[in-house]
Structure formats: structure tokens, C-alpha cells
Amino acid sequence: MPNWRLFRFGRSFARSFKTTSFFQKHPPFPASSFFFSTSIEFRADNENPTRPAPPPIRVGITESAGRGVFATRKIGQGEQLHTAKPLISYPSLSLIQRVCYFCLRKLVNRSSDQVQGVSFCSDDCKEQSKAFLDVERKADWSAYDDYCRSHGLKYPLMVKRFACMIISGATSPDLLDILQPASLSPELISQLEEGFYLLQSAFTAANIPDEQIAFLTKQWYTGVLARIRINAFRIDLAGGAYEDLLLAAAASVENEAAVGNAVYMLPSFYNHDCDPNAHIIWIENVDARLKALRDVDEGEELKICYIDASINREARQAVLSQGFGFQCNCPRCLSDD
């Protein structure tokens, strides 16, 4: 019997490398929309500088699950597929004083920002946070944060950061439009209205010009939340080298508290399997690493596990149905394992 606990993943529901050739076979998905990088390097000849090699994957259409990620060559067990930087992230409110406000790295010696009490692990993170922080500091977020805290909500905090990024000019309102949205019931949409009005009021009270928040409509707010809800990953930091985790048979990070949540572009295209052949992991910060859990053939679809794969079939089906809106028909579930 496989040790399913080794396959537990954290999906809860800029300086990024942009490829120009990665999706040439699939023009419906704009190459400029996918953000990833890879640590693999090569030299075309002895004189050219080292540059990143493209990851051995492509995005294509599956027979039953929409978009998916496929291997473009044989991939060995443990091989890194690619890394990914988040489009949007936000720390857990309970740990906001203990992690970097930008990269979510756990802090040892905090250098607290005295303006709003947030901390950064480096000057570089503090500089990059200007994409949202300069706007964020103009508003009073006490009511909005209390709303999130009292209702146990995390995704509206990511919408707040996203909105600040848009107002600052760091990104556009349609950044997440390519991602699959969750289906929201009328009742749930009605419940989200309070958060929308609190967000809108915070910007208005901060005297943000109307033209800068023209994008902030109820439809935009609920649409972004619908996409974040189904595509966000819970960030559980493993801490230490990935290879050490494999040697110690401890790839699971179930004992680590989540430091926050994030949405990525390319990782969001990986479909689910309760017996996955790929693994997403976070070592020291919010930058994700995708690795192969076993040998993968050319053309084979790469899949990750969205949930705790150690639970039984009935529980897995319930979590996937309620959280992601689908019934899993992977070989493991069909075999009643």
C-alpha cells in the first residue's frame, strides 16, 4: 500500500520569466500570460551566457477536464519541472507579524515597518511590495480586516491586495480572467456583498480618485473571488532542501502551519489526481516548485493532488465536490481505494 501521506498538498480552496515559445502549439493560451521560471541552465556554446532552459511541459486540452499540463519529453522521478512566482499572495492574519509581508518567508530577526507594523525579510521584498503597499497605506483597513477575521475569510484579503496592485498600475484588472472560476450560488454572492462594500468604502474614504477604482464593481469583485477560490494554494513551508525531504521520506508538510495563500498562473492548469505524478512544494517562501513524483512518459498528463490524499475515498469525494465542484474519477477512486 502506498504511503499516501507523502502526497499531501496545500491547495485550499514583476520578476517572472515570460516564455515566447512555451505554448506555440496552443495559441489559445497567450504565451505572455504564463509566469514561470526554471533553475535548469544550459549553454548553447562556450561564448553565449548561461540562460534558463524551457521546462519540459506544455499546456493542452484534455478529453474531460479542460486544460491540463503535459510532458514534452520523458521526465525522471524527482526532476524539477519548473518554479513559479505568485500572481497574488497574502499572509495568514494569525501569522502576519511572523512572516515576510511580501514573500511569506518565516522571520527570524524581524525588521518591522513602523507605519503599519508589517515586516519584510529583506530590502528587496520591501522594495517589491511597493506594487501594492503604497496604495494600501493610504486606507484604513480595520473594518475590512475585522470582517475577514470574524468570518474566517482569507480570499478577500487577496482581492484587497490585487485591487491595490491595480490602482498602483502594477497590473491590470483582467490578470486572472484566464483562470477557471468557481461556480458561486446566488446566496453566496449575496454574502460577499458586505466585503465588496467595505473594500469600496476603504478606497473612497482614502480619497482614491474615482477613475482609479472604476474597475471595482460588484461583478469584478465576485468574479475575482470565484477565480481565487478554486485556484488558490495554501502555502505550507517545508523548510530545508527538497532532496533532504525525499531522503527523510517527509515530503508531506502537514505539521507546518500555513503561512498564507497564493494564486499562480501555470500551476493553476494542473489537474487533480488522488495518486498524482507531480508535486507542488514551498521550501522557504511563496515561490513554488513543481517536481515529478515518479517517472513520466512523453505526452503524459502531469497531475497534482488538491487535497490530503491520505483520507479515504468517501472523504476525498466529499471534499472535492464541495470545494472544487467535481467528482473525481481517477483510477484510485474508481478502484475504491
Side-chain angles (χ1 to χ4, degrees):
M1 175 68 67
N3 185 353
W4 298 116
R5 287 197 174 275
L6 294 183
F7 301 156
R8 182 173 185 266
F9 302 92
R11 188 167 187 169
S12 61
F13 1 62
R15 298 189 313 167
S16 302
F17 175 66
K18 298 183 181 181
T19 180
T20 57
S21 59
F22 181 54
F23 300 103
Q24 287 177 346
K25 294 184 179 179
H26 296 273
F29 311 116
S32 61
S33 297
F34 299 88
F35 297 82
F36 66 89
S37 62
T38 174
S39 62
I40 302 172
E41 297 184 342
F42 71 100
R43 289 179 183 270
D45 54 55
N46 292 331
E47 296 183 6
N48 288 342
T50 301
R51 61 184 185 275
I57 55 176
R58 65 175 176 85
V59 172
I61 300 298
T62 68
E63 294 182 358
S64 59
R67 292 172 297 206
V69 180
F70 297 84
T72 58
R73 59 166 173 78
K74 281 186 172 290
I75 298 172
Q77 178 181 358
E79 182 176 342
Q80 180 164 294
L81 306 173
H82 63 90
T83 61
K85 291 184 177 295
L87 301 175
I88 308 166
S89 63
Y90 202 90
S92 299
L93 285 177
S94 61
L95 296 175
I96 205 163
Q97 298 296 327
R98 297 167 54 191
V99 300
C100 176
Y101 200 51
F102 181 78
C103 77
L104 309 189
R105 183 190 300 269
K106 291 183 179 180
L107 300 173
V108 179
N109 298 313
R110 288 185 297 162
S111 176
S112 180
D113 187 304
Q114 299 299 318
V115 178
Q116 288 191 345
V118 296
S119 303
F120 300 95
C121 67
S122 67
D123 290 338
D124 183 55
C125 282
K126 188 172 183 179
E127 181 65 25
Q128 292 192 66
S129 74
K130 291 181 179 179
F132 56 84
L133 194 58
D134 289 347
V135 173
E136 184 179 311
R137 284 175 170 168
K138 296 178 181 179
D140 179 0
W141 297 106
S142 56
Y144 191 81
D145 289 353
D146 287 345
Y147 157 76
C148 294
R149 187 177 289 106
S150 63
H151 290 80
L153 302 175
K154 49 197 174 185
Y155 301 143
L157 295 167
M158 299 176 69
V159 180
K160 176 183 79 172
R161 178 162 292 185
F162 186 21
C164 290
M165 292 166 63
I166 295 168
I167 293 170
S168 73
T171 191
S172 62
D174 61 357
L175 176 67
L176 304 183
D177 284 4
I178 195 173
L179 301 182
Q180 178 71 26
S183 178
L184 303 181
S185 66
E187 293 78 14
L188 181 56
I189 292 176
S190 178
Q191 295 173 13
L192 297 176
E193 288 185 357
E194 182 180 358
F196 164 71
Y197 288 119
L198 286 171
L199 182 64
Q200 187 181 57
S201 297
F203 286 129
T204 301
N207 296 317
I208 303 296
D210 290 344
E211 59 270 19
Q212 291 189 26
I213 57 173
F215 70 90
L216 186 54
T217 63
K218 189 184 303 183
Q219 181 179 6
W220 178 86
Y221 182 84
T222 56
V224 169
L225 274 178
R227 285 170 170 80
I228 290 177
R229 183 183 182 189
I230 202 171
N231 291 288
F233 288 83
R234 195 181 85 164
I235 310 303
D236 296 291
L237 300 182
Y242 182 82
E243 291 73 15
D244 292 340
L245 293 175
L246 289 178
L247 291 174
S252 170
V253 291
E254 58 188 315
N255 293 324
E256 295 287 336
V259 296
N261 296 273
V263 172
Y264 305 83
M265 186 62 73
L266 185 52
S268 293
F269 294 147
Y270 282 76
N271 287 316
H272 166 83
D273 197 298
C274 294
D275 182 13
N277 57 10
H279 184 192
I280 183 168
I281 191 170
W282 298 267
I283 304 298
E284 295 179 336
N285 59 24
V286 74
D287 293 347
R289 302 185 188 189
L290 280 291
K291 295 206 174 192
L293 282 171
R294 55 176 177 265
D295 292 344
V296 177
D297 292 329
E298 180 179 353
E300 183 178 348
E301 184 177 1
L302 291 152
K303 297 182 179 181
I304 61 176
C305 187
Y306 294 175
I307 61 173
D308 183 349
S310 68
I311 60 180
N312 62 40
R313 179 184 181 278
E314 183 179 355
R316 296 198 311 271
Q317 292 287 350
V319 173
L320 290 168
S321 176
Q322 296 170 13
F324 298 91
F326 69 87
Q327 179 179 359
C328 183
N329 293 311
C330 72
R332 185 184 171 203
C333 284
L334 292 177
S335 67
D336 291 328
D337 184 357

